[in-house]
Amino acid sequence: MTKKDAITVYFGGDAKELWTGDGLHIVYSGRLAALARRDGSGQWRAEAHFPACSGNVKPDYNAASKEQALAARLNTRDCPDLTLAYFQTAANAGEALLSSKMDAGALPCLSTLNVRGGLDALILPELLRLLLDECRLSWGDSVDIISNCTIYMAKECLCVPLPAIAALTPRGARLIEAVDEKLRGVLRDAFPGDWRRMESGAILSENTVDLGRLSAVMCGSVICAKELKAGNLRTLYTVMPGKFEEDS
Amino acid sequence: MTNPILSANLIHDAACEEYRRPIGAVKAKSRLTLAFRDLSGCIASARLFLWGGDWERSYDMALSDGLFSVCLDAPAEPEALWYGFSLNPGDGEPLWLCADGSGRFGSLSGFRGEGFRLTVYAADFETPDWFGKTVMYQIFPDRFARDGSETARRGAEYHRALGRKVKYHEDWSEPVDWLPNSRDGFYFPLDFYGGTLKGIEDRLPYLESLGVGVIYLNPICEAASNHRYDTADYLNTDPILGTNADFIRLCESARRRGIRIILDGVFSHTGADSVYFNRFGRYPAPGAYNGGEASAFYRWYDFRAFPEDYRCWWNFKNLPEVNEEEPAWRDFIITGENSVIKTWLRRGASGFRLDVADELPDPVLALIRDAAKSVSRDNVVLGEVWEDPVIKISYGRRRRYALGSALDSVMNYPLRAALIDFFTFRQDARALAAFLLDQRLNLPPPLYRSLMNLLSSHDTERIRTALAARLDARTLTREQQAGFIVTDKQDERGAAMQKLCAAVQYTVPGVPCIYYGDETGMQGMLDPFCRGPFQEGKRPLTEWYALLGRIRNENDALSAGAAAFYAPGPDVLCILRFIRGEQDLFGTPASDGAFLIAVNRSESPRLAVADLWLDNAGLTGAELAAFKAKDPARGVCLLTGEEIRIDSGLVRLSLQPGAAHIFRLT
């Protein structure tokens, strides 16, 4: 994950699930890496994983070159907001885990992450990915850890196309789908047969991710205005009221 | 864009006006729209199939903006119907959108499955307004209250003089008899405690304090047994209970307190030991058995081989069944100017509960209705039916007695079962809410508002016992029932659940009925243990029932308002009742009001959010609009004084273990 205190953030490629005698492993291919390192002002700066060498004809030359270009674009912000947000949130997630010395169980004691429901919510699937795939925790433990160290300070409920997320982090997109599937199970229990009602609370709709609902489902508590409770988060409020802080 | 053809992409909701207008049962010949939405975009054409018992029709459906719909007129004949949608995907196999397990939503399959129910009822079906708004109290007359007179003892002597065996319990607190006491080795209910009509009259102030508006008396006509379902003389009060004059006086006294009396009509059979059958020759005039064809009553009965082989109720030889097609029987019981039914109504009764209504033919039930209504439109005809009365099949025929031609009301045993299942943790709140919605959608509204919502009766174990013991009494032998001990801990639990159960009973549509002694916490397994003499149990709930009765009687919305049911969690049931526009669903003037009832069956606190605006299946669009227009912002519990806030139709409820609330919404 790290190279001299930097966080490695991976972009794109493909992620395949491989079941072995040792459990589920994720096999990645074709992804690009960027090293995230905080600068003097605390902002994340990107570095290429390997410096590109002119005239280098090794097979990974193209990848290294692409990583150089990616790092440059990230640092000059010459990339979509989603890409930039993913880089920063993934770096934040890696840093949070690093601060616990990879003892994921200690994470809730060390960090409380506030999520606003915008692109910053991308930290949630990335944290889940790290806990599941890097720390090799169970789904239940991973979800609990994230729940215990995150608060959704709801300011917005941004929707993002799932393919756009999948292009950045295919594994992250798959995990969002998994969270949505489990949520739909809860909704099915609450509103059996009522597909519209279920849909009104789901994270994924027409291949779009509602990051607000993703945050509400994955964060341990939700602090939001009553307009959101009565609006986009209405169904989740009725299904999991314990997460929602009572209005003062 | 097309989506896969999945149940999720083909929407029909029988509780939503977008798909079915009107929702619920419909009047015969009324206009009806049925529809489903195709989100898949793959359905080329569709047909509605509508079917009854022995017929089927289909209708082309029109497509507009993804909605396939068809308008039709409901059939002219009241009937239980079903419908489903046949779908043509164009390039694939035909599909069916039929009812899912709940009967409310659509489920896609390659064959015709269960249809959605559609109840068509008589356009002129009316039930007495007073009845739907009252509280009922069921009394087993021998076991409710003695008076200070010798009436009962004299009555016992009367029976003994006829040659009958009678045991009189000197001590009111003695347990009921249950051991075999007859030559054939069976138990015969011949033990009497001496409760009288005068005793009931003396307790009218007590019943009034409970908010009772109608008393249902188990049979009072002269009979050999203590339950008197073996009628010996239809026209006379059993002497142990008193006289016909006592009955008239009871009715008059009750009426002065705003309480009416309805009687148990046992018309499918008589006692063998009766004026009419006279098997033992105890009555002077010849009966069918001892007089044969010379008897005026011979043709009432069906003798396969005279005199010993005759048709009898469930093969009980002491209960010969009558032939309801016999004009003389009809004249005597129903249609004659001085028929049994008219006589008792003129004496002051306000209706009949018809014993084993399933076993009376529909035309006979219709005649009984006509007879009762001819005395007063306000008289009630209530049937003993144990199952869903709209789709009940008995003796190979689907019955139509609940569709306007016969019964005003039925005993709502299905509700009892659903409540017990919920409060004994066999089912969760969602199942209960679905059941309540099912009744809302499938029962004719006039009958629905008049359902006799009972928790116990003379034929079931008492509600306290059911909730305390959490077992099915039918699985126990009579010996086991007699020896069954409800522990103090169980009784405590039973009492806690009974409070909640009663709160629901008093706030769902229908007429709550207290079986005598339930309010005092009496225990009792099945007959005869559920028929003990009235007494106080360990944990009486008399004040609770009185409070519920008062709240219900003071607020029209709780008895006659629109209703919706929610299950915001497995342990939490919510009910919304309201009236807007100062008239109830039937156009009767009524006071506006809105109430949210919430119960938590759990032994732990429960946090729940009820969405009054979205989870309101069962409300019409107009009802919901009227409710939202008032936009209630707070509620105060009439039971505890606790307050709640409502924001945009969302109510956050922090419910203590075993809590029951009736919030008045303002």
Side-chain angles (χ1 to χ4, degrees):
Chain A
M1 181 185 291
T2 68
K3 184 176 178 181
K4 294 179 183 173
D5 296 332
I7 311 292
T8 306
V9 178
Y10 294 100
F11 288 80
D14 197 10
K16 285 193 165 50
E17 293 182 352
L18 182 66
W19 284 96
T20 70
D22 190 27
L24 176 67
H25 292 264
I26 307 302
V27 179
Y28 296 98
S29 60
R31 57 184 183 170
L32 299 178
L35 291 179
R37 200 189 304 275
R38 288 199 185 273
D39 63 14
S41 64
Q43 298 297 311
W44 288 109
R45 297 277 301 170
E47 296 173 5
H49 206 235
F50 297 105
C53 302
S54 175
N56 191 335
V57 292
K58 288 180 180 175
D60 63 349
Y61 166 74
N62 285 339
S65 172
K66 287 177 184 171
E67 286 175 359
Q68 282 283 356
L70 173 62
R73 286 206 310 277
L74 289 169
N75 290 335
T76 58
R77 309 179 84 83
D78 180 22
C79 55
D81 288 347
L82 182 65
T83 306
L84 199 59
Y86 167 65
F87 171 66
Q88 291 168 347
T89 55
N92 286 336
E95 184 183 52
L97 199 57
L98 194 64
S99 69
S100 69
K101 297 187 173 58
M102 299 301 284
D103 176 9
L107 201 53
C109 304
L110 297 170
S111 310
T112 299
L113 302 171
N114 291 338
V115 177
R116 293 164 60 92
L119 293 175
D120 63 337
L122 293 174
I123 194 173
L124 298 168
E126 180 61 12
L127 264 179
L128 186 57
R129 188 190 71 81
L130 291 173
L131 296 173
L132 286 170
D133 300 348
E134 305 284 339
C135 301
R136 305 200 55 75
L137 298 181
S138 69
W139 178 275
D141 288 343
S142 303
V143 167
D144 282 349
I145 288 169
I146 295 171
S147 173
N148 287 333
C149 68
T150 51
I151 297 173
Y152 176 24
M153 308 281 283
K155 298 295 178 194
E156 53 187 332
C157 289
L158 192 66
C159 290
V160 176
L162 183 65
I165 295 176
L168 293 168
T169 167
R171 176 67 175 153
R174 177 69 195 96
L175 291 175
I176 290 171
E177 288 180 314
V179 172
D180 182 62
E181 277 174 26
K182 290 182 185 299
L183 170 65
R184 283 172 187 268
V186 174
L187 295 170
R188 253 195 304 277
D189 284 346
F191 310 108
D194 193 345
W195 297 99
R196 287 193 152 184
R197 198 79 171 85
M198 290 181 221
E199 206 61 36
S200 71
I203 294 167
L204 282 173
S205 177
E206 296 184 347
N207 233 12
T208 298
V209 182
D210 187 318
L211 294 173
R213 292 184 195 157
L214 177 71
S215 306
V217 170
M218 294 193 71
C219 292
S221 63
V222 181
I223 300 170
C224 72
K226 61 183 180 184
E227 288 76 15
L228 268 180
K229 274 185 199 168
N232 192 51
L233 303 180
R234 188 179 188 106
T235 298
L236 295 179
Y237 180 43
T238 61
V239 170
M240 40 189 75
K243 283 193 171 195
F244 286 74
E245 300 286 322
E246 195 164 6
D247 299 334
S248 54
Chain B
M1 186 180 117
T2 59
N3 293 313
I5 302 180
L6 303 169
S7 289
N9 288 330
L10 293 162
I11 310 286
H12 177 75
D13 178 354
C16 174
E17 280 187 337
E18 183 181 352
Y19 307 104
R20 175 163 157 172
R21 183 185 289 264
I23 58 171
V26 296
K27 290 182 178 177
K29 291 186 179 176
S30 64
R31 199 77 176 144
L32 170 70
T33 302
L34 295 169
F36 70 88
R37 184 165 292 284
D38 173 24
L39 299 176
S40 73
C42 296
I43 305 302
S45 62
R47 288 182 73 76
L48 167 76
F49 278 74
L50 181 69
W51 64 92
D54 53 5
W55 59 267
E56 175 180 293
R57 280 176 218 144
S58 71
Y59 305 81
D60 277 330
M61 301 186 77
L63 174 62
S64 175
D65 291 334
L67 192 75
F68 282 91
S69 66
V70 59
C71 284
L72 62 150
D73 290 326
E77 281 299 309
E79 191 177 353
L81 305 180
W82 285 263
Y83 63 89
F85 304 101
S86 171
L87 317 177
N88 172 18
D91 57 354
E93 291 290 312
L95 296 168
W96 282 89
L97 185 65
C98 289
D100 68 358
S102 73
R104 177 182 163 191
F105 296 104
S107 176
L108 195 64
S109 67
F111 55 88
R112 186 156 103 181
E114 281 289 309
F116 297 95
R117 287 179 60 183
L118 174 65
T119 302
V120 179
Y121 65 97
D124 60 352
F125 187 13
E126 289 179 359
T127 52
D129 188 58
W130 69 269
F131 186 67
K133 294 177 178 169
T134 196
V135 174
M136 184 186 277
Y137 194 90
Q138 180 186 350
I139 292 176
F140 195 79
D142 182 58
R143 308 289 163 84
F144 184 59
R146 287 174 173 165
D147 61 44
S149 74
E150 291 294 306
T151 299
R153 287 176 195 281
R154 280 200 304 270
E157 287 310 316
Y158 165 84
H159 285 289
R160 288 188 184 116
L162 285 177
R164 292 181 180 132
K165 202 171 164 186
V166 173
K167 174 183 171 181
Y168 189 84
H169 290 278
E170 293 295 338
D171 183 351
W172 183 259
S173 62
E174 282 176 9
V176 295
D177 283 5
W178 61 273
L179 289 166
N181 56 6
S182 61
R183 272 176 298 184
D184 55 9
F186 288 98
Y187 156 75
F188 186 81
L190 53 74
D191 58 319
F192 290 81
Y193 283 80
T196 63
L197 297 182
K198 178 70 168 60
I200 296 171
E201 187 182 349
D202 293 344
R203 300 298 303 274
L204 285 174
Y206 168 71
L207 300 178
E208 190 179 14
S209 74
L210 288 174
V212 169
V214 61
I215 299 168
Y216 152 42
L217 295 177
N218 283 108
I220 63 168
C221 293
E222 180 177 325
S225 72
N226 60 32
H227 56 63
R228 302 188 175 91
Y229 282 98
D230 50 343
T231 313
D233 183 346
Y234 278 115
L235 292 172
N236 285 311
T237 302
D238 193 296
I240 295 180
L241 295 176
T243 63
N244 291 343
D246 289 341
F247 176 73
I248 292 168
R249 196 173 58 245
L250 169 63
C251 291
E252 289 171 348
S253 298
R255 191 64 79 108
R256 282 194 292 273
R257 294 178 181 275
I259 299 174
R260 306 187 194 219
I261 310 281
I262 65 172
L263 293 173
D264 215 323
V266 188
F267 301 129
S268 93
H269 53 266
T270 68
D273 184 2
S274 65
V275 170
Y276 320 103
F277 201 76
N278 211 4
R279 178 174 178 131
F280 307 107
R282 288 181 178 140
Y283 291 93
Y289 180 88
N290 65 346
E293 294 191 35
S295 165
F297 307 111
Y298 178 77
R299 295 178 65 81
W300 282 24
Y301 302 95
D302 286 332
F303 287 98
R304 288 180 283 254
F306 183 82
E308 293 301 335
D309 187 6
Y310 49 87
R311 188 164 59 89
C312 44
W313 187 76
W314 286 35
N315 289 326
F316 288 109
K317 297 297 279 185
N318 65 326
L319 299 176
E321 277 198 319
V322 300
N323 174 12
E324 294 95 351
E325 304 297 323
E326 168 57 31
W329 177 86
R330 288 190 176 188
D331 182 71
F332 182 84
I333 298 289
I334 310 170
T335 55
E337 183 51 35
N338 296 309
S339 69
V340 170
I341 285 174
K342 292 173 185 171
T343 297
W344 284 104
L345 293 173
R346 289 185 194 123
R347 286 173 182 167
S350 295
F352 278 91
R353 173 263 191 191
L354 299 177
D355 186 49
V356 291
D358 289 331
E359 308 199 23
L360 295 169
D362 279 354
V364 169
L365 291 170
L367 288 175
I368 291 174
R369 179 183 185 81
D370 291 344
K373 303 291 181 184
S374 72
V375 177
S376 167
R377 297 296 304 168
D378 265 352
N379 287 332
V380 172
V381 182
L382 190 162
E384 181 196 14
V385 180
W386 286 70
E387 305 85 1
D388 186 321
V390 171
I391 54 172
K392 168 86 186 197
I393 293 176
S394 62
Y395 297 99
R397 305 188 71 165
R398 191 173 303 285
R399 306 304 301 269
R400 297 189 179 187
Y401 46 46
L403 304 179
S405 63
L407 302 177
D408 289 316
S409 171
V410 292
M411 300 177 80
N412 198 355
Y413 280 110
L415 173 68
R416 174 184 187 270
L419 289 174
I420 290 174
D421 280 349
F422 175 62
F423 287 110
T424 56
F425 292 78
R426 292 179 202 137
Q427 292 280 4
D428 67 10
R430 287 166 189 139
L432 179 55
F435 166 82
L436 292 169
L437 178 64
D438 184 76
Q439 290 210 320
R440 154 72 180 93
L441 296 178
N442 296 315
L443 298 179
L447 180 110
Y448 181 53
R449 72 162 173 177
S450 305
L451 288 170
M452 176 184 169
N453 290 339
L454 67 155
L455 297 181
S456 315
S457 79
H458 58 290
D459 285 331
T460 67
E461 72 268 44
R462 284 187 175 274
I463 187 65
R464 176 68 62 88
T465 304
L467 297 175
R470 292 188 182 178
L471 54 77
D472 187 343
R474 291 169 298 185
T475 62
L476 302 179
T477 64
R478 194 168 265 177
E479 287 75 11
Q480 288 171 323
Q481 292 178 48
F484 192 88
I485 296 171
V486 175
T487 66
D488 192 58
K489 179 86 176 160
Q490 287 176 319
D491 185 71
E492 184 181 3
R493 182 175 67 191
M497 289 298 107
Q498 189 184 343
K499 282 183 75 170
L500 308 190
C501 207
V504 176
Q505 178 197 21
Y506 270 67
T507 52
V508 294
V511 183
C513 179
I514 309 170
Y515 181 51
Y516 80 101
D518 274 359
E519 77 279 20
T520 60
M522 283 178 67
Q523 298 274 3
M525 285 284 180
L526 297 173
D527 163 25
F529 308 106
C530 58
R531 302 174 180 182
F534 181 87
Q535 54 194 292
E536 191 131 302
K538 277 186 190 166
R539 291 178 178 81
L541 296 174
T542 313
E543 291 181 8
W544 180 254
Y545 276 88
L547 179 59
L548 291 174
R550 183 173 60 74
I551 290 172
R552 180 182 157 93
N553 289 338
E554 288 176 354
N555 296 286
D556 290 342
L558 290 174
S559 57
F565 313 100
Y566 316 79
D571 296 322
V572 178
L573 179 79
C574 292
I575 302 162
L576 177 68
R577 301 296 308 270
F578 66 88
I579 287 178
R580 295 286 185 236
E582 300 195 332
Q583 60 178 23
D584 67 17
L585 303 175
F586 299 87
T588 307
S591 54
D592 278 2
F595 297 87
L596 179 68
I597 298 90
V599 296
N600 170 23
R601 70 174 179 181
S602 170
E603 293 177 4
S604 305
R606 287 285 181 263
L607 176 65
V609 171
D611 191 336
L612 306 184
W613 288 2
L614 286 186
D615 296 327
N616 45 42
L619 298 184
T620 65
E623 287 166 351
L624 183 58
F627 177 71
K628 287 170 89 168
K630 286 281 182 180
D631 195 15
R634 61 188 289 271
V636 179
C637 179
L638 302 179
L639 300 170
T640 65
E642 285 178 51
E643 295 194 14
I644 53 169
R645 281 189 316 171
I646 308 168
D647 287 317
S648 305
L650 292 166
V651 187
R652 190 179 175 95
L653 299 162
S654 296
L655 300 169
Q656 293 303 305
H661 296 285
I662 301 176
F663 295 105
R664 184 198 298 277
L665 308 182
T666 54

